[in-house]
Amino acid sequence: MTQNAQNGVGCPEFSFPRWVLHALARRQRKTEFWTPDPSRLRIRSSAPLVFFGLALALLAADVLHAQPVPSRDPSSTHIFPAGGRRGTAVAVRVGAEAIPPGASLYVFSEGVSASERLGERLPSRGEPSLRRKPTEIPISRPREWQAQIEIAADAPLGPVAWRLGGAQGGTGTRPFVIGDLPEFIETESNSTFETAERISLPVTVNGQIDGERDLDFFRFTAEESDVVVCEVQARRLGSRLDPVVAILTPDGRSVSVETVHVGDDPVVAFHVPRSGEYVLCISNVTFHGDPAHVYRVNVSTAPFICAAFPAGWQAGEECEVEFYALSGTGALRVERDTIRFSAPSEAVQRLEIDERPNVLEREPNDSPADAQPISLPLTVNGRFQSDRDTDWFRFTASAGETLSIACRGYPAGGAARPGVALFDAAGTQLAQARSIECPDGVCRIEWTAPQSGEYRLRLRDLQHGVRGGLDFVYRLTVEPARPEFELSVAADAFDVLQEGRSQLPVKLRRSGGFTGPVELRLEGLPAGVQAEPARFPEGGSDATLTVSATADAIADSTPLRLIGQAGIEGQTVERVARCRQLGHDSEGVALAEPTTERLNLTVRHKPLFRLFCLETYQYAHRGTVFPYPMQIERLDGFDGPVTLQIADRQNRDLDGIEMFEVTIPPGESSVRLPIHLPETMHINIQSQSQLYCQGHASFVDRHGRPQSVLVVSEKRNMIRTLPAVVKLKALDDEIVLDELPAESQGRAGPREVRCRLRVDRTTNFPGPLDVELLDPPAESGVAMLPLTIAAGQIEAEAVLRLDERRRAGDRLTVRFRGTGRMADGTQVISECAVAFR
C-alpha cells in the first residue's frame, strides 16, 4: 500500500503514465485535446481505474469550460456622491478598477473644477455581506479614491462629464450632476426601518447600495394632500444599481404609489393621505451590491412632468402644449401653456424645434380607411391614447421619389416605444422599423417609391394591447430624402501605447441615397502621435483608423475630434463623429445627450515590469496565511519598488480570501505574497482558488512628469485548501448586559465585561494564540485588555471595557481575532464574534 502524502488516504499500488501526471499538473493551463494510450497504463485495482476516469473527466471539463481571463484595461465605475449643489465644494469618492494611485481626474465643464489627481485610497464604507457559496462567475470590486469637485454658483444645471487618465491608460466619461436642491449624503448604517435617516423636503438624496444586506431608509414629513415625487437617477448615470423604490407608513406598511419609468429609472409619486412621517426605501432588484451601485433621488413636492403634447413644433410658431404631471393617484394631471418655439425658455428647452411644418394627429385614424392625409415635408405629433390605439397616415409619392421616414417616442426613455410600417394602396407591407431595434431608439425607413400613387403608414406602440395613455407621445417626420451621412464611435476614449499602434473602429450611417467615399482625419493629435490616412470606400459603412505613438510621446490624455469629409451634390461636407459616453442605461437613455463630439486619447507609458507566479497547485490550511512566491521582470531599466495587492477583477468568487499588501524593494525581483485563506471557506465547492494579483509602481518619466502604472499578474495563484488547524470560539454567543452581576453594573468608570473563549486545537498547532479586537467600530467605546492564550491552554477570558457611551438598548457585536504560528512558521488566524445587548 502507498500513502497519499497530502491526505493520508491509502490505495492499492498503481502508476500513471508520465503524460497523465504532466496533464494533471498543467490543469487549467492546457487546452488541447488528447487521447489516452491504454497500453501504457498499469492498474492493479478497480479503485485506481475509477480515480483515473475521474482525472480524465476533470481534465476534459477544464478544456471545455476554461475560465475567462479578467480584463486588464483600466476603467472608472462611479463617483459618489454622483452630484452636488451649485456654489458648493463636494468631497467625492471616485471609483475605478485597474487604476494605479495618483491617476489624473478630468472634468469637462465651465464653472466646475476638480482635484488634479486622485488622493488617498478610501476604506470601504458598505454594509457587510452574507457569506454565500462561491460560484465561478467573474467578479470585480472597485476601489475608491479621494477627490474634491468645486461647483461655481452660476454653473449650468445638469450633468457634466468626468474621466480618469494616466500612464496606465484612460477611461470613458461619466456624468456628475449639478443640481439646485439641498444635497443629503447617506451614512451607514441606515439599512433598517428603525435606523432610517431623517431628511427634509425638498432634497436630493445621494446613496450607495454597497453590500448584500444594504437597504437605504430615509424618514421625512409630508403634509396631507401633497404630491411627493421621488425621481431616481441611477441607470441613467451608468450605475450598476437596478433600483427599487418603496414608500412606507410610520408602522411599516406600504403606501400605494404611481410609478413611471424614464428609461430604466423609476419615478414614484404618492398623494399624501394624512400629514405625518413617511419612510423612503431604496434597494436593488437583486441581492448584489458594491460601491458602484450609486444613485441620486430628487424628493420634492414640485410637479414632475413626464410628457408633453405636442413634444415640439415649427420654429417661430406658437402652439398650445399640454404638460402631463404625476398626480400620485394614477391619473395624470394636465397643465396647459402656450409656447412660442423661438425665444429660449425653460419650457422650450424640454421640447423640440424643427424647420418643417408641424401638425397634430387627429382621431379617428385607427384603420387604413380612416388614415389621416399628410403632405410632405411634415412632422406629425401623435400619441397612443389607449393600449389598442393604432394611427394611420396616407400620402402620395411619385415613382422613383426617395423618402426619409423617422419616428421616435418623446421624451427619450419615456412611455412610448413606437414601430412604423409602410404599405402600398393594396395593403402590401413594403418596409418596417421598430424603435427597440435601433441603438438610438429612432425608427428609420429610407424608401424609394416603385410607382406613383398613394401609400400608407401605420404607427403602433410595441406594447400594443398592453399599455397606452396620454404620455405615449411620438413625433413622426416624413420628407424627401437628402444625401447625408453620420459618423459614430462606440466609446469616447481610446489608448495608444508608446512605440505602439492602436486601431479605432468607426461606423458610418448613410441616408438619402448617399454612397460616396468619406475621408477621415483626427484633429488635435499631440506631439509624437500620428494617424494613418483612412477612408470609407464607396458604399462602405465600416472603417478603421490606425493611430501610432513614438517613444517620446508624453503619457497623457488629449481631447480630439474625428471628422469625416465627403463630396455631396458638388459641395464639400464635413461631419464630426459622435462618441458614446458611459453615463446611460441599457436603452441608451441618459440625463443629457449620451454622445459627445469629444474623443479622448490617452498615450500609455510603455511597460516597466511584468508580474508572474508559478501557476501550479500550492496547498495550505484554511485559517492560515500562505506566502505565495511572486516574480517580477523589470523592463527598460526600471528599478523602483512595486506594491502587490489583490486584483480588482477576478474570474471567480474569492470565498473570503484576502491578500495582504507587500512591496517588492528596489532592485529585487521576487517576494512572497501573503494570502489569507479564511477558516470559513466553503470546502469542496471550488476545487481550488484561482487568484489574480496586481502590482502598481510610481515613477518620474523622461519628461520629468510623475506617473504611475498598474500591472495584473499574467499567471494565477493556484491554492488548494487543507483542513483548519485551530479554531477560536466564544462560549457565549450573546451577553445581556442587564444580567451582569450587580457589582459589575454599579462600578464607577468603564464597565468591564468578561467573554469566555475556547481554543479547539489540532496537533499541528500547540503554540500560543494572541487575541485582539478585530476592527472595533469607530466611536464604539469598546476596548480590550491584552490577551494571550498560552501554549496548550484551552480556555481563557477576554476582558472588555465598555464606556458610558453604551446606552441601555444598544446592540453591539464585537469580533475577536486570534493569531499564532505553526511549528514551521506559518501564520494562523481564527476569528469569532460575541453580541452584546
Side-chain angles (χ1 to χ4, degrees):
M1 300 284 287
T2 60
Q3 286 293 114
N4 183 305
Q6 295 297 341
N7 57 25
V9 178
C11 61
E13 181 183 351
F14 66 97
S15 64
F16 287 114
R18 188 177 300 273
W19 66 268
V20 174
L21 299 178
H22 285 180
L24 287 170
R26 295 194 303 270
R27 184 179 171 208
Q28 295 288 346
R29 291 188 294 150
K30 188 173 180 64
T31 58
E32 65 186 28
F33 291 92
W34 38 259
T35 304
D37 179 3
S39 65
R40 300 183 61 188
L41 300 177
R42 183 163 55 92
I43 301 177
R44 300 184 181 179
S45 167
S46 61
L49 181 60
V50 173
F51 180 81
F52 178 65
L54 289 174
L56 294 183
L58 288 172
L59 286 166
D62 283 343
V63 170
L64 295 174
H65 303 285
Q67 287 288 339
V69 177
S71 168
R72 290 171 166 83
D73 294 329
S75 66
S76 63
T77 56
H78 67 281
I79 193 169
F80 180 77
R85 193 179 190 183
R86 285 196 288 195
T88 63
V90 185
V92 296
R93 305 168 70 97
V94 180
E97 294 173 359
I99 285 284
S104 296
L105 173 60
Y106 303 93
V107 175
F108 305 97
S109 177
E110 295 293 331
V112 182
S113 60
S115 311
E116 182 178 348
R117 292 183 178 275
L118 298 183
E120 296 181 356
R121 180 188 169 193
L122 297 170
S124 172
R125 58 186 296 276
E127 291 281 21
S129 294
L130 297 170
R131 288 297 306 279
R132 297 182 180 274
K133 293 181 179 181
T135 67
E136 297 192 2
I137 299 174
I139 63 167
S140 64
R141 176 79 181 184
R143 299 174 194 266
E144 292 187 307
W145 308 88
Q146 184 182 53
Q148 181 163 297
I149 294 180
E150 304 273 351
I151 309 171
D154 58 351
L157 292 174
V160 300
W162 65 272
R163 66 183 295 267
L164 301 175
Q168 186 62 31
T171 72
T173 55
R174 294 183 178 275
F176 179 83
V177 185
I178 310 303
D180 58 358
L181 295 179
E183 300 270 336
F184 182 89
I185 301 174
E186 67 142 339
T187 56
E188 296 293 355
S189 172
N190 61 347
S191 297
T192 65
F193 185 84
E194 294 75 18
T195 58
E197 296 183 279
R198 181 166 295 280
I199 58 176
S200 298
L201 276 52
V203 66
T204 297
V205 176
N206 295 272
Q208 291 172 296
I209 300 300
D210 186 1
E212 293 183 11
R213 298 181 181 182
D214 197 10
L215 304 171
D216 290 345
F217 289 89
F218 305 95
R219 193 179 305 273
F220 61 91
T221 300
E223 300 298 324
E224 184 175 349
S225 298
D226 280 350
V227 177
V228 178
V229 178
C230 304
E231 179 203 2
V232 180
Q233 299 172 356
R235 302 292 286 176
R236 290 174 292 162
L237 299 173
S239 171
R240 294 177 181 174
L241 177 67
D242 195 351
V244 177
V245 180
I247 304 295
L248 308 174
T249 62
D251 57 359
R253 291 179 293 120
S254 295
V255 175
S256 177
V257 298
E258 178 183 20
T259 303
V260 298
H261 281 79
V262 182
D264 292 338
D265 285 336
V267 181
V268 168
F270 78 102
H271 188 271
V272 179
R274 62 184 61 87
S275 299
E277 284 192 342
Y278 294 87
V279 175
L280 165 67
C281 176
I282 306 294
S283 61
N284 193 19
V285 74
T286 71
F287 62 82
H288 295 291
D290 65 28
H293 289 65
V294 299
Y295 64 84
R296 284 169 63 81
V297 184
N298 295 320
V299 188
S300 76
T301 57
F304 181 83
I305 306 299
C306 60
F309 181 77
W313 205 251
Q314 186 175 7
E317 298 290 330
E318 282 189 352
C319 180
E320 184 179 75
V321 179
E322 294 180 348
F323 295 96
Y324 303 108
L326 300 182
S327 67
T329 62
L332 294 175
R333 189 172 64 198
V334 182
E335 299 179 3
R336 296 177 175 84
D337 195 5
T338 299
I339 305 295
R340 172 168 287 278
F341 286 77
S342 56
S345 67
E346 182 178 352
V348 171
Q349 289 175 5
R350 305 177 67 175
L351 303 173
E352 184 168 291
I353 303 176
D354 64 26
E355 300 298 328
R356 291 172 293 272
N358 276 240
V359 299
L360 299 177
E361 173 225 350
R362 297 194 309 269
E363 296 285 355
N365 61 344
D366 297 329
S367 68
D370 297 325
Q372 178 178 339
I374 58 176
S375 57
L376 313 184
L378 192 68
T379 296
V380 180
N381 294 272
R383 54 188 168 181
F384 305 111
Q385 298 189 50
S386 70
D387 61 347
R388 296 288 178 179
D389 194 6
T390 300
D391 294 340
W392 286 85
F393 303 92
R394 56 187 172 89
F395 62 91
T396 58
S398 301
E401 183 179 8
T402 300
L403 298 181
S404 176
I405 303 168
C407 183
R408 63 164 294 180
Y410 277 85
R417 302 289 188 275
V420 180
L422 175 66
F423 298 85
D424 63 16
T428 302
Q429 181 172 308
L430 305 176
Q432 72 169 351
R434 304 194 304 170
S435 58
I436 61 171
E437 297 169 348
C438 307
D440 56 0
V442 181
C443 308
R444 292 187 178 90
I445 296 176
E446 288 276 331
W447 169 78
T448 301
Q451 58 187 15
S452 298
E454 187 173 83
Y455 297 88
R456 291 179 175 84
L457 289 171
R458 185 193 68 193
L459 272 69
R460 178 183 290 174
D461 197 272
L462 301 180
Q463 305 158 88
H464 183 77
V466 178
R467 297 184 63 215
L470 296 177
D471 54 335
F472 282 66
V473 176
Y474 64 83
R475 279 170 61 83
L476 166 71
T477 62
V478 186
E479 61 184 345
R482 293 173 294 179
E484 188 56 270
F485 69 93
E486 297 177 4
L487 298 175
S488 63
V489 180
D492 70 343
F494 74 107
D495 298 342
V496 61
L497 185 67
Q498 290 174 340
E499 299 184 86
R501 296 156 63 88
S502 182
Q503 293 188 325
L504 179 69
V506 186
K507 290 284 187 181
L508 176 68
R509 189 176 71 83
R510 301 173 181 271
S511 58
F514 171 66
T515 61
V518 178
E519 305 291 336
L520 292 175
R521 74 174 188 274
L522 278 173
E523 284 188 352
L525 287 171
V529 180
Q530 63 179 10
E532 298 178 5
R535 70 196 300 266
F536 292 91
E538 187 165 349
S541 60
D542 294 277
T544 300
L545 197 64
T546 300
V547 179
S548 59
T550 66
D552 292 327
I554 298 177
D556 200 3
S557 290
T558 306
L560 311 175
R561 292 203 319 163
L562 175 60
I563 297 176
Q565 179 178 297
I568 298 180
E569 297 180 339
Q571 296 184 343
T572 299
V573 176
E574 291 188 347
R575 297 290 181 260
V576 181
R578 302 295 300 185
C579 309
R580 176 72 67 172
Q581 302 182 89
L582 293 175
H584 58 82
D585 66 10
S586 63
E587 300 180 9
V589 179
L591 294 178
E593 173 59 47
T595 61
T596 176
E597 292 184 351
R598 184 180 53 253
L599 178 62
N600 299 291
L601 166 69
T602 301
V603 177
R604 298 179 64 170
H605 198 281
K606 58 186 177 182
L608 296 182
F609 63 93
R610 299 171 66 192
L611 199 56
F612 303 93
C613 64
L614 187 62
E615 199 176 61
T616 56
Y617 291 134
Q618 310 294 315
Y619 291 84
H621 293 276
R622 286 177 288 130
T624 65
V625 177
F626 182 79
Y628 208 106
M630 300 294 302
Q631 296 288 326
I632 181 175
E633 178 186 356
R634 299 179 179 272
L635 307 172
D636 200 32
F638 172 70
D639 199 33
V642 177
T643 299
L644 302 188
Q645 57 190 196
I646 194 165
D648 299 337
R649 304 184 182 114
Q650 302 287 337
N651 65 6
R652 56 166 61 182
D653 279 346
L654 293 173
D655 201 13
I657 293 177
E658 300 174 276
M659 289 182 180
F660 301 142
E661 289 193 358
V662 64
T663 298
I664 304 177
E668 295 191 12
S669 60
S670 64
V671 74
R672 290 188 175 271
L673 175 63
I675 300 178
H676 175 212
L677 307 171
E679 58 194 347
T680 54
M681 290 182 69
H682 295 81
I683 193 167
N684 293 332
I685 293 180
Q686 286 181 341
S687 56
Q688 69 277 322
S689 297
Q690 302 179 16
L691 314 170
Y692 282 94
C693 77
Q694 62 190 30
H696 62 82
S698 299
F699 64 101
V700 176
D701 66 15
R702 66 174 66 184
H703 302 283
R705 299 164 62 97
Q707 304 279 14
S708 57
V709 293
L710 181 144
V711 171
V712 178
S713 173
E714 299 180 21
K715 300 292 184 180
R716 295 165 293 179
N717 305 118
M718 308 279 285
I719 302 178
R720 286 190 168 181
T721 58
L722 302 173
V725 299
V726 64
K727 176 57 185 170
L728 180 66
K729 294 182 177 180
L731 295 181
D732 302 301
D733 294 334
E734 183 178 72
I735 297 177
V736 181
L737 297 182
D738 293 340
E739 296 176 359
L740 293 174
E743 61 272 15
S744 174
Q745 296 184 36
R747 185 178 300 153
R751 174 185 297 182
E752 284 193 356
V753 179
R754 297 179 179 272
C755 302
R756 297 181 300 156
L757 303 178
R758 177 184 175 87
V759 180
D760 288 346
R761 301 175 179 272
T762 66
T763 56
N764 302 81
F765 182 75
L769 194 70
D770 295 321
V771 182
E772 60 181 349
L773 279 183
L774 177 63
D775 298 328
E779 306 297 328
S780 66
V782 179
M784 175 180 169
L785 298 182
L787 172 63
T788 297
I789 302 177
Q793 185 179 352
I794 301 299
E795 293 188 5
E797 283 190 339
V799 180
L800 300 182
R801 289 182 173 176
L802 282 65
D803 67 18
E804 295 179 352
R805 282 175 288 185
R806 308 312 307 176
R807 303 292 182 182
D810 282 357
R811 293 179 178 271
L812 174 69
T813 297
V814 296
R815 298 190 63 83
F816 297 97
R817 169 173 281 188
T819 58
R821 293 195 177 274
M822 298 169 62
D824 62 359
T826 299
Q827 184 181 16
V828 298
I829 298 176
S830 185
E831 299 173 2
C832 66
V834 175
F836 296 96
R837 66 178 176 86

